[in-house]
Amino acid sequence: MASNIFLFWGSGSPPCWKPLIVLEEKGLTYGQKLISFSEKEHKGEDVMKLNPRGQVPTFRDGDTIVNESGAICDYLEYKYKDQGCCLMPEDPEVRGKVLQRVHETQNLNKALIEGVVYYQFRTKEDAIDEKYLNSKKKEATEELLRWEGYLEKEGPESYIVGKDFSMADVFVFPILAFGVRGKLDLAPFPNLDSYYKRLVERPSIKATWPPHWKESEGKDFFKGV
């Protein structure tokens, strides 16, 4: 039964957001606990007994424990494929394209979050190497242009792959939203801008919007992108 599902997650974390979106898209009933990173609750006993790495998302469905965000999403789609939204198309060609985009999000994450946001977040302001940072912002722009091109090829009002919401969107949107939270201006990327604005209104996105994002603004990490 779906009522046996439980998820430990952190607000604003793209890896945590992905399984939350899938749970909502599938229309599943699930228990959850929002943990505090600042209080190191991800290292608490209730998480550590399920995930010795002390990381979230940490997920349980009955006796089944899955702790990597992508694996959780795949598990939910496989076990509950006949419920809610189909996130992995049956057509092999379309599925291959969805899988391609899913795995490509590693590049988007690396360019936007690891390259631009985490560098500034983890470096004291007076120690930031502006030349290095500008090179990372250039890489972020190039990666965004690549995804802008993907959407342009798909056509107006499309998702990442075709006219149907899929696992590719589950993986892309939280990263893109994390960028927008960091003052990323999508105006120079009209297809991404339109895509973002449409998905913000999707019920599964609205239902799982990071709580602390509703209460505060992000920092300006993307000036010049």
Side-chain angles (χ1 to χ4, degrees):
M1 296 291 291
S3 58
N4 292 326
I5 296 174
F6 197 92
L7 181 74
F8 293 89
W9 61 285
S11 179
S13 160
C16 291
W17 202 350
K18 291 186 292 186
L20 283 168
I21 294 172
V22 174
L23 285 163
E24 292 293 329
E25 290 288 340
K26 290 295 177 184
L28 297 170
T29 300
Y30 58 99
Q32 58 175 299
K33 181 178 180 180
L34 172 60
I35 62 93
S36 168
F37 291 113
S38 61
E39 297 296 325
K40 298 189 182 299
E41 290 180 351
H42 52 300
K43 302 298 183 181
E45 182 180 354
D46 51 354
V47 173
M48 292 293 290
K49 67 183 180 182
L50 298 177
N51 187 351
R53 294 183 186 275
Q55 299 172 340
V56 289
T58 290
F59 171 88
R60 183 185 69 238
D61 183 6
D63 294 328
T64 302
I65 298 170
V66 188
N67 291 319
E68 293 296 326
S69 62
I72 296 169
C73 293
D74 287 344
Y75 169 85
L76 289 169
E77 174 63 17
Y78 180 77
K79 182 170 181 180
Y80 302 102
K81 63 181 179 180
D82 295 328
Q83 292 185 223
C85 179
C86 175
L87 298 171
M88 197 59 71
E90 291 293 332
D91 181 272
E93 184 175 346
V94 181
R95 177 176 289 206
K97 194 171 184 180
V98 169
L99 288 169
Q100 170 70 28
R101 298 293 180 252
V102 162
H103 288 282
E104 273 189 272
T105 58
Q106 297 177 60
N107 299 289
L108 187 63
N109 185 77
K110 182 177 180 180
L112 267 65
I113 299 179
E114 295 178 17
V116 176
V117 176
Y118 285 174
Y119 173 69
Q120 294 176 83
F121 184 76
R122 294 168 177 168
T123 307
K124 292 183 178 180
E125 189 172 349
D126 59 0
I128 288 178
D129 183 334
E130 291 295 337
K131 183 177 180 180
Y132 174 83
L133 178 57
N134 287 335
S135 72
K136 291 301 175 182
K137 288 181 177 180
K138 183 175 183 293
E139 290 176 9
T141 299
E142 291 171 350
E143 185 64 24
L144 287 165
L145 285 170
R146 185 170 288 110
W147 291 89
E148 173 74 4
Y150 292 159
L151 283 169
E152 185 174 7
K153 288 181 180 179
E154 295 295 334
E157 301 297 305
S158 70
Y159 292 99
I160 294 299
V161 178
K163 299 298 182 182
D164 296 319
F165 185 89
S166 73
M167 194 67 79
D169 302 288
V170 172
F171 275 61
V172 168
F173 182 81
I175 300 172
L176 194 61
F178 196 96
V180 173
R181 164 81 174 173
K183 308 300 183 183
L184 173 64
D185 182 11
L186 291 179
F189 313 96
N191 291 294
L192 280 170
D193 189 42
S194 174
Y195 170 80
Y196 175 82
K197 289 175 179 175
R198 283 187 290 113
L199 262 66
V200 162
E201 299 301 320
R202 191 171 180 88
S204 65
I205 302 295
K206 295 175 75 172
T208 57
W209 197 261
H212 81 281
W213 287 13
K214 300 175 183 178
E215 303 167 358
S216 63
E217 291 190 5
K219 296 182 178 179
D220 186 0
F221 290 116
F222 285 94
K223 184 178 180 180
V225 174

